[in-house]
Amino acid sequence: MSQGNYITTSGIEIKEVYGQAKPLTEVPGEFPFTRGIQNNMYRGRLWTMRQYAGFSTAEESNKRYHYLLSQGTMGLSVAFDLPTQIGYDSDHEMSEGEVGKVGVSIDSLQDMEILFSGIDLQKVTCSMTINATAPILLAMYIAVAKQQGADLNQISGTIQNDILKEYAARGTYIYPPKPSMRLITDIFEYCSKEIPKWNTISISGYHIREAGSTAVQELAFTLANGKSYLKAAIEKGLDINQFGKRISFFFNCHNNFFEEIAKFRAARRMWAHITKELGATESGAQKLRFHTQTGGSTLTGQQPMNNIVRVTNQAMAAVLGGTQSLHTNGYDEALSLPTEAAAKIALRTQQIIAFESGVADTVDPLAGSYFIESLTDEIEAAAWKYIETIDAMGGSVNAIENGYIQKEIGDAAYQYQTDLENNERILVGVNKYVDEEGILPEVFRVDDSIRQLQIEKLNKLKAERNHDAVTRALDSVSEAAKSGWNTMPYILNAVEAYATIGEIANTFRKEFGEY
C-alpha cells in the first residue's frame, strides 16, 4: 500500500468497494479452468506437500529426505549446489567455495545412488530444481530407478528444465539459447516414450519474482516463456496433445493475499487459451498444473520469527488459488539453509492449513467475490499486454536477447526498493516496528571441507571405473549433439558408465559453446 492510495504490488488500483462486474458462469474442471483444473479439487486429493531440501553431500541430504518423509512430506524436492547446476565437477576451480552450499553436490551417478538410497522411486514423486544440466540429472535419476527395478512407466516427478528464465532472471545457464532449447525438446520427445508420467518441464515464474518482478510480470513472462517452449516442441514435430500434458509450472507466492490468489486463477485461464490457440484440443493439454513455493525474497533476517506468519499467509493464498503442490519456506532462510526445526514448522504449517482451516473443503471458495473476480480480470488484462509486446518482438528468446524482460524486472525491483526506503511500503521489523536488538536463531552452515570429501570420492571413482567405456560414451554424446540426434539415450549411457556431470557438460560445451 502506498501513502494516499491503495494499489497491489503490480500497480493495480484497489477500489474501496466492489460490485458484481459480470455473472459467474465458469465451472471448476472445465475450460478455461479459472476455478481449478479438477471439478472436486482438494476434496478428491490434497495438494502435494513437498519440502525443498538439499545440502552438503548426498549422504547428508539423504538423511534429511528420510526425516521429511517420516514427518509426512508427500514428495521430495531436490536442491542442487551451484557447481552441479552449471556443469562443473567439485574439483573444478570454479567450484571452490560453492560445493554443497546452496544444495546437494552431485558429481556422478554414484552420488545419485547415495542420494536416493532407501527411497523407493516408484512410490514417491520427486521434483528436481535443475535447468542447464537437467538432461544429465534426469538420466541419473532414471539410472537409479532402473537399478531399483522400477517400472519406468510408473515413476513420476518433475525437472525444472526452464532455461529461458535463467537468461532473464537467475543466471545458471551454460549454452546459447538455441542449443539449450534443443536439449529441452530432446527431453520432451524422450520422456513421452520412455517415462510417460514424468513432467518434462516446470516453467518457472518463481525466480522471475525473486529477481524483483511484480505479480503481473511474473505471470506474463512465465506464460510467454511457456508459449516459446510449446512452439519449439511443435516445430520439432511433437504433438501438443501429448507433450502438453506433461508440462507444469512453478510460481511464487508473495504477501499480497488477494493479488496472489487472483494471479493463480488468471494463470489457468490464460494458459488454457494459449494452448488452445496453438492446437491443443484435449483438456489435459490445456490445463495449467503448478507447484508453488512461498516467497524467499519476502523473508527477513530481522525478527526472523515473523517469517512464520508471512509463510502461513502465502501458503494459504496458494491453496485458495488452487495449487497442486506446495513448498513452505523455513523462517530462518534469510540467514541460512533451513534448520531441521524450521523445516518441520514449515511442513506443519501446510498440514494445519489442510486439516484444520477448512479452506480445502470446497472448490475455489473465493469464487464470486466481487473483488477476486475483478482482480483476476485486471491481472489477466495487464499480463496479456506484456505477452502481446513479447510476441511482437518474435517471442521470449528475442525479448531476452534484446534485454527487454531483464529491464522490466530490474525497473520493478528498483521501484520496490525505493518504496521501502521511502516508507511507501511497510515491511514489519525492517522499516517499521524495528527492534534495536534482536536474538537471532541458530543457523545452519555447510563446512568448506565438503569439497575435499567430494574430490576424494571423484578421484576414487575415476580410478575404479572403466576408462574406455567412459571415453566411448562421451564420444557418442558428442556425435549425437553434432548430428542432431536425440541426446537423451546417449547421456543415459554416459551416466551409466559413470561419466561425471562435468565431463558430459564439457562435451556439450565443445559442440555448442558457452553463452
Side-chain angles (χ1 to χ4, degrees), residues 149-203:
D151 179 354
L152 297 186
N153 288 309
Q154 298 303 317
I155 67 165
S156 60
T158 306
I159 42 171
Q160 192 164 104
N161 199 28
D162 173 8
I163 205 66
L164 291 179
K165 66 92 176 51
E166 296 295 327
Y167 300 116
R170 191 163 174 267
T172 64
Y173 48 77
I174 304 173
Y175 320 112
K178 286 179 182 173
S180 294
M181 293 289 278
R182 179 257 179 106
L183 290 175
I184 288 167
T185 55
D186 280 357
I187 291 173
F188 288 178
E189 183 178 49
Y190 178 84
C191 290
S192 68
K193 298 170 185 173
E194 304 297 332
I195 45 172
K197 288 192 174 181
W198 194 267
N199 297 321
T200 51
I201 191 169
S202 176
I203 303 165

Coordinates of all heavy atoms in Angstrom, one line a residue, residues 149-203:
G149 N 14.9 -51.5 -10.1 CA 13.9 -52.4 -10.7 C 12.6 -51.7 -10.9 O 11.5 -52.4 -11.1
A150 N 12.5 -50.4 -10.9 CA 11.3 -49.7 -11.0 C 10.7 -49.8 -12.4 O 11.5 -49.9 -13.4 CB 11.5 -48.2 -10.6
D151 N 9.4 -49.7 -12.5 CA 8.7 -49.7 -13.8 C 8.8 -48.2 -14.3 O 8.2 -47.3 -13.7 CB 7.3 -50.1 -13.7 CG 6.5 -50.0 -15.0 OD1 7.0 -49.6 -16.0 OD2 5.3 -50.5 -15.0
L152 N 9.6 -48.0 -15.3 CA 9.8 -46.6 -15.8 C 8.5 -45.9 -16.3 O 8.4 -44.7 -16.4 CB 10.8 -46.5 -16.9 CG 12.3 -47.0 -16.5 CD1 13.2 -46.7 -17.6 CD2 12.7 -46.3 -15.2
N153 N 7.5 -46.8 -16.6 CA 6.2 -46.2 -17.0 C 5.4 -45.6 -15.8 O 4.4 -44.9 -16.0 CB 5.3 -47.3 -17.6 CG 5.8 -47.6 -19.0 OD1 6.0 -46.8 -19.9 ND2 6.0 -48.9 -19.3
Q154 N 5.9 -46.0 -14.6 CA 5.2 -45.5 -13.4 C 5.9 -44.5 -12.6 O 5.3 -43.8 -11.7 CB 5.0 -46.7 -12.4 CG 4.1 -47.8 -13.1 CD 2.7 -47.3 -13.5 OE1 2.1 -46.5 -12.8 NE2 2.3 -47.7 -14.7
I155 N 7.3 -44.3 -12.8 CA 7.9 -43.2 -12.0 C 7.4 -41.9 -12.4 O 7.2 -41.6 -13.6 CB 9.5 -43.3 -12.1 CG1 10.0 -43.0 -13.5 CG2 10.0 -44.7 -11.6 CD1 11.5 -42.7 -13.5
S156 N 7.3 -41.0 -11.4 CA 6.8 -39.7 -11.7 C 7.5 -38.6 -10.9 O 8.1 -38.8 -9.9 CB 5.3 -39.6 -11.4 OG 5.0 -39.9 -10.1
G157 N 7.5 -37.4 -11.5 CA 8.2 -36.3 -10.9 C 8.4 -35.2 -11.9 O 7.7 -35.2 -12.9
T158 N 9.2 -34.3 -11.6 CA 9.4 -33.1 -12.4 C 10.8 -32.6 -12.5 O 11.5 -32.6 -11.4 CB 8.5 -31.9 -11.8 OG1 7.2 -32.3 -11.7 CG2 8.6 -30.7 -12.7
I159 N 11.3 -32.2 -13.6 CA 12.5 -31.5 -13.7 C 12.2 -30.0 -14.1 O 11.3 -29.8 -14.9 CB 13.6 -32.0 -14.7 CG1 12.9 -32.4 -16.0 CG2 14.4 -33.1 -14.1 CD1 13.8 -32.8 -17.1
Q160 N 12.9 -29.1 -13.5 CA 12.5 -27.7 -13.8 C 12.8 -27.4 -15.3 O 11.9 -26.9 -16.0 CB 13.3 -26.7 -12.9 CG 12.8 -25.3 -13.0 CD 13.3 -24.4 -11.9 OE1 14.2 -23.6 -12.0 NE2 12.7 -24.6 -10.7
N161 N 14.0 -27.6 -15.7 CA 14.3 -27.6 -17.2 C 13.9 -26.4 -17.9 O 13.6 -26.4 -19.1 CB 13.7 -28.9 -17.8 CG 14.3 -29.3 -19.1 OD1 15.4 -29.0 -19.4 ND2 13.4 -29.9 -20.0
D162 N 13.8 -25.2 -17.2 CA 13.3 -24.0 -17.8 C 14.5 -23.0 -18.0 O 14.9 -22.3 -17.1 CB 12.3 -23.4 -16.9 CG 11.8 -22.0 -17.4 OD1 12.2 -21.6 -18.5 OD2 11.0 -21.4 -16.6
I163 N 15.1 -23.1 -19.2 CA 16.4 -22.3 -19.4 C 16.1 -20.8 -19.6 O 16.9 -20.0 -19.4 CB 17.2 -22.9 -20.5 CG1 18.7 -22.5 -20.3 CG2 16.7 -22.5 -21.9 CD1 19.4 -23.1 -19.0
L164 N 14.9 -20.5 -20.2 CA 14.7 -19.1 -20.6 C 14.7 -18.2 -19.4 O 15.2 -17.1 -19.4 CB 13.4 -19.0 -21.4 CG 13.4 -19.6 -22.7 CD1 12.0 -19.5 -23.4 CD2 14.4 -19.0 -23.6
K165 N 14.1 -18.6 -18.3 CA 14.1 -17.8 -17.1 C 15.5 -17.6 -16.5 O 15.8 -16.7 -15.8 CB 13.1 -18.2 -16.0 CG 13.4 -19.6 -15.4 CD 14.2 -19.5 -14.1 CE 14.3 -20.8 -13.5 NZ 14.8 -21.9 -14.3
E166 N 16.4 -18.6 -16.8 CA 17.8 -18.4 -16.4 C 18.5 -17.3 -17.0 O 19.2 -16.5 -16.4 CB 18.6 -19.7 -16.7 CG 18.1 -20.9 -15.9 CD 18.3 -20.8 -14.4 OE1 19.2 -20.2 -14.0 OE2 17.4 -21.4 -13.7
Y167 N 18.3 -17.1 -18.3 CA 18.8 -15.9 -19.1 C 18.2 -14.6 -18.5 O 18.9 -13.6 -18.5 CB 18.6 -16.1 -20.6 CG 19.1 -17.3 -21.2 CD1 18.3 -18.2 -21.8 CD2 20.5 -17.5 -21.3 CE1 18.8 -19.4 -22.4 CE2 21.1 -18.6 -21.9 CZ 20.2 -19.6 -22.4 OH 20.7 -20.7 -23.0
A168 N 16.9 -14.7 -18.2 CA 16.2 -13.5 -17.8 C 16.4 -13.1 -16.4 O 16.4 -11.9 -16.0 CB 14.7 -13.6 -18.1
A169 N 16.6 -14.1 -15.5 CA 16.5 -13.7 -14.1 C 17.5 -14.4 -13.1 O 17.8 -13.9 -12.1 CB 15.1 -14.0 -13.6
R170 N 18.0 -15.6 -13.5 CA 18.7 -16.4 -12.5 C 20.1 -16.6 -12.7 O 21.0 -16.6 -11.8 CB 17.9 -17.7 -12.3 CG 18.4 -18.5 -11.0 CD 17.3 -19.5 -10.7 NE 17.8 -20.4 -9.6 CZ 18.5 -21.5 -9.8 NH1 18.7 -22.0 -11.0 NH2 18.9 -22.2 -8.8
G171 N 20.5 -16.9 -14.0 CA 21.9 -16.9 -14.3 C 22.6 -18.3 -14.4 O 23.8 -18.3 -14.8
T172 N 21.9 -19.4 -14.1 CA 22.7 -20.7 -14.2 C 22.5 -21.3 -15.6 O 22.0 -22.5 -15.7 CB 22.3 -21.6 -13.1 OG1 20.9 -22.0 -13.2 CG2 22.5 -21.0 -11.7
Y173 N 22.8 -20.6 -16.6 CA 22.8 -21.2 -18.0 C 24.2 -21.6 -18.3 O 25.2 -21.1 -17.7 CB 22.2 -20.2 -19.0 CG 22.8 -18.8 -18.9 CD1 24.1 -18.5 -19.4 CD2 22.1 -17.8 -18.2 CE1 24.7 -17.2 -19.3 CE2 22.7 -16.5 -18.1 CZ 23.9 -16.2 -18.6 OH 24.5 -15.0 -18.5
I174 N 24.4 -22.4 -19.4 CA 25.7 -22.8 -19.9 C 25.8 -22.4 -21.4 O 26.7 -21.7 -21.8 CB 26.0 -24.3 -19.7 CG1 25.8 -24.7 -18.2 CG2 27.4 -24.6 -20.2 CD1 26.0 -26.2 -18.0
Y175 N 24.9 -23.0 -22.1 CA 25.0 -22.9 -23.6 C 24.1 -21.8 -24.1 O 23.2 -21.3 -23.4 CB 24.5 -24.3 -24.2 CG 25.0 -25.5 -23.4 CD1 24.1 -26.3 -22.7 CD2 26.3 -25.8 -23.3 CE1 24.5 -27.4 -22.0 CE2 26.8 -26.9 -22.6 CZ 25.8 -27.6 -21.9 OH 26.3 -28.7 -21.1
P176 N 24.3 -21.4 -25.4 CA 23.4 -20.4 -26.0 C 22.0 -20.8 -26.0 O 21.7 -22.0 -25.9 CB 24.0 -20.2 -27.4 CG 25.4 -20.7 -27.3 CD 25.4 -21.8 -26.3
P177 N 21.1 -19.9 -26.2 CA 19.6 -20.2 -26.2 C 19.2 -21.3 -27.1 O 18.4 -22.2 -26.7 CB 18.9 -18.9 -26.5 CG 19.9 -17.9 -26.0 CD 21.3 -18.4 -26.3
K178 N 19.6 -21.3 -28.4 CA 19.1 -22.3 -29.3 C 19.5 -23.7 -29.0 O 18.6 -24.6 -29.0 CB 19.4 -21.8 -30.8 CG 18.6 -20.6 -31.2 CD 19.0 -20.2 -32.6 CE 18.1 -18.9 -33.0 NZ 18.5 -18.3 -34.3
P179 N 20.7 -24.0 -28.8 CA 21.0 -25.4 -28.4 C 20.4 -25.8 -27.1 O 20.1 -27.0 -26.8 CB 22.6 -25.4 -28.3 CG 23.0 -24.0 -28.4 CD 22.0 -23.2 -29.0
S180 N 20.3 -24.8 -26.2 CA 19.6 -25.1 -24.9 C 18.1 -25.5 -25.1 O 17.6 -26.5 -24.5 CB 19.6 -23.9 -24.0 OG 21.0 -23.6 -23.6
M181 N 17.5 -24.8 -26.0 CA 16.1 -25.2 -26.4 C 16.0 -26.6 -27.0 O 15.1 -27.3 -26.8 CB 15.5 -24.1 -27.3 CG 15.3 -22.8 -26.7 SD 13.9 -22.7 -25.4 CE 12.5 -22.6 -26.5
R182 N 17.1 -26.9 -27.8 CA 17.1 -28.2 -28.5 C 17.2 -29.3 -27.4 O 16.5 -30.3 -27.5 CB 18.3 -28.2 -29.4 CG 18.5 -29.6 -30.1 CD 19.6 -30.4 -29.5 NE 19.9 -31.7 -30.1 CZ 21.0 -31.9 -30.8 NH1 21.8 -31.0 -31.1 NH2 21.2 -33.2 -31.2
L183 N 18.0 -29.1 -26.4 CA 18.1 -30.1 -25.3 C 16.8 -30.3 -24.6 O 16.4 -31.4 -24.2 CB 19.2 -29.7 -24.3 CG 20.7 -29.8 -24.8 CD1 21.6 -29.3 -23.8 CD2 21.1 -31.2 -25.2
I184 N 16.1 -29.2 -24.4 CA 14.8 -29.3 -23.7 C 13.8 -30.1 -24.6 O 13.1 -31.0 -24.0 CB 14.2 -27.9 -23.5 CG1 15.0 -27.2 -22.3 CG2 12.7 -27.9 -23.1 CD1 14.8 -25.7 -22.2
T185 N 13.7 -29.9 -25.9 CA 12.8 -30.6 -26.7 C 13.2 -32.1 -26.8 O 12.4 -33.0 -27.0 CB 12.6 -30.0 -28.1 OG1 13.9 -29.8 -28.7 CG2 11.9 -28.6 -27.9
D186 N 14.5 -32.3 -26.7 CA 15.0 -33.7 -26.7 C 14.4 -34.5 -25.5 O 14.0 -35.6 -25.6 CB 16.5 -33.8 -26.6 CG 17.3 -33.6 -27.9 OD1 16.6 -33.4 -28.9 OD2 18.5 -33.5 -27.9
I187 N 14.4 -33.8 -24.4 CA 13.7 -34.4 -23.2 C 12.3 -34.6 -23.4 O 11.7 -35.6 -23.0 CB 14.0 -33.5 -21.9 CG1 15.5 -33.5 -21.6 CG2 13.2 -33.9 -20.7 CD1 15.9 -32.5 -20.5
F188 N 11.6 -33.6 -23.9 CA 10.1 -33.8 -24.2 C 9.9 -35.1 -25.0 O 9.0 -35.9 -24.7 CB 9.6 -32.6 -25.1 CG 9.4 -31.3 -24.4 CD1 9.0 -30.2 -25.1 CD2 9.7 -31.2 -23.0 CE1 8.8 -29.0 -24.4 CE2 9.6 -29.9 -22.4 CZ 9.1 -28.8 -23.1
E189 N 10.7 -35.2 -26.1 CA 10.5 -36.4 -27.0 C 10.8 -37.7 -26.3 O 10.1 -38.7 -26.4 CB 11.4 -36.2 -28.2 CG 11.2 -37.2 -29.3 CD 12.1 -36.9 -30.5 OE1 13.3 -36.7 -30.3 OE2 11.6 -37.0 -31.6
Y190 N 11.9 -37.7 -25.6 CA 12.4 -38.9 -25.0 C 11.4 -39.4 -23.9 O 11.0 -40.6 -23.8 CB 13.8 -38.7 -24.4 CG 14.4 -39.9 -23.6 CD1 15.0 -40.9 -24.3 CD2 14.2 -40.0 -22.2 CE1 15.5 -42.0 -23.7 CE2 14.7 -41.1 -21.6 CZ 15.4 -42.1 -22.3 OH 15.9 -43.2 -21.6
C191 N 11.0 -38.5 -23.0 CA 10.2 -38.8 -21.9 C 8.8 -39.3 -22.4 O 8.2 -40.2 -21.7 CB 10.0 -37.7 -20.9 SG 11.6 -37.3 -20.0
S192 N 8.3 -38.7 -23.4 CA 7.0 -39.1 -23.9 C 6.9 -40.6 -24.3 O 5.9 -41.3 -24.1 CB 6.5 -38.3 -25.1 OG 7.4 -38.6 -26.2
K193 N 8.1 -41.2 -24.6 CA 8.2 -42.6 -25.0 C 8.7 -43.5 -23.8 O 8.2 -44.6 -23.7 CB 9.1 -42.8 -26.2 CG 8.7 -42.0 -27.4 CD 9.8 -42.0 -28.5 CE 9.3 -41.2 -29.7 NZ 10.5 -41.1 -30.7
E194 N 9.6 -43.0 -23.0 CA 10.3 -43.8 -22.1 C 9.8 -43.7 -20.6 O 9.7 -44.6 -19.9 CB 11.8 -43.5 -22.1 CG 12.4 -43.7 -23.5 CD 12.4 -45.1 -24.0 OE1 12.3 -46.0 -23.1 OE2 12.4 -45.3 -25.2
I195 N 9.4 -42.4 -20.2 CA 8.9 -42.2 -18.8 C 7.7 -41.3 -18.9 O 7.7 -40.1 -18.6 CB 10.0 -41.7 -17.9 CG1 10.8 -40.6 -18.5 CG2 10.9 -42.8 -17.4 CD1 11.7 -39.9 -17.4
P196 N 6.6 -41.8 -19.4 CA 5.4 -41.0 -19.8 C 4.7 -40.2 -18.7 O 4.0 -39.3 -19.0 CB 4.4 -42.0 -20.4 CG 4.9 -43.4 -19.9 CD 6.3 -43.3 -19.7
K197 N 5.0 -40.6 -17.4 CA 4.4 -39.9 -16.3 C 5.2 -38.7 -15.8 O 4.8 -38.1 -14.8 CB 4.0 -40.8 -15.2 CG 2.8 -41.8 -15.5 CD 2.4 -42.5 -14.2 CE 1.1 -43.3 -14.5 NZ 0.6 -44.0 -13.3
W198 N 6.4 -38.6 -16.4 CA 7.3 -37.5 -15.9 C 6.9 -36.2 -16.5 O 6.6 -36.0 -17.6 CB 8.7 -37.9 -16.3 CG 9.8 -37.1 -15.6 CD1 10.3 -35.9 -16.0 CD2 10.3 -37.3 -14.3 NE1 11.2 -35.4 -15.0 CE2 11.2 -36.3 -14.0 CE3 10.1 -38.4 -13.4 CZ2 11.9 -36.3 -12.8 CZ3 10.8 -38.3 -12.2 CH2 11.7 -37.3 -11.9
N199 N 6.9 -35.2 -15.6 CA 6.7 -33.8 -16.0 C 8.0 -33.2 -16.6 O 9.0 -33.0 -15.8 CB 6.2 -32.9 -14.9 CG 4.9 -33.4 -14.4 OD1 4.0 -33.8 -15.2 ND2 4.7 -33.4 -13.1
T200 N 8.1 -33.0 -17.9 CA 9.3 -32.7 -18.6 C 9.8 -31.3 -18.4 O 11.0 -31.0 -18.8 CB 9.2 -33.1 -20.0 OG1 8.0 -32.4 -20.6 CG2 9.0 -34.6 -20.3
I201 N 9.0 -30.4 -17.9 CA 9.5 -29.0 -17.7 C 8.6 -28.4 -16.6 O 7.4 -28.7 -16.6 CB 9.5 -28.2 -19.0 CG1 10.2 -26.9 -18.8 CG2 8.1 -28.0 -19.5 CD1 10.5 -26.1 -20.1
S202 N 9.2 -27.6 -15.8 CA 8.4 -26.8 -14.8 C 8.8 -25.4 -15.1 O 9.8 -24.9 -14.8 CB 8.8 -27.2 -13.4 OG 8.2 -26.3 -12.5
I203 N 7.9 -24.8 -15.9 CA 8.1 -23.4 -16.4 C 8.0 -22.5 -15.2 O 7.0 -22.4 -14.5 CB 7.2 -23.0 -17.5 CG1 7.3 -24.1 -18.6 CG2 7.4 -21.6 -18.0 CD1 6.2 -24.1 -19.6

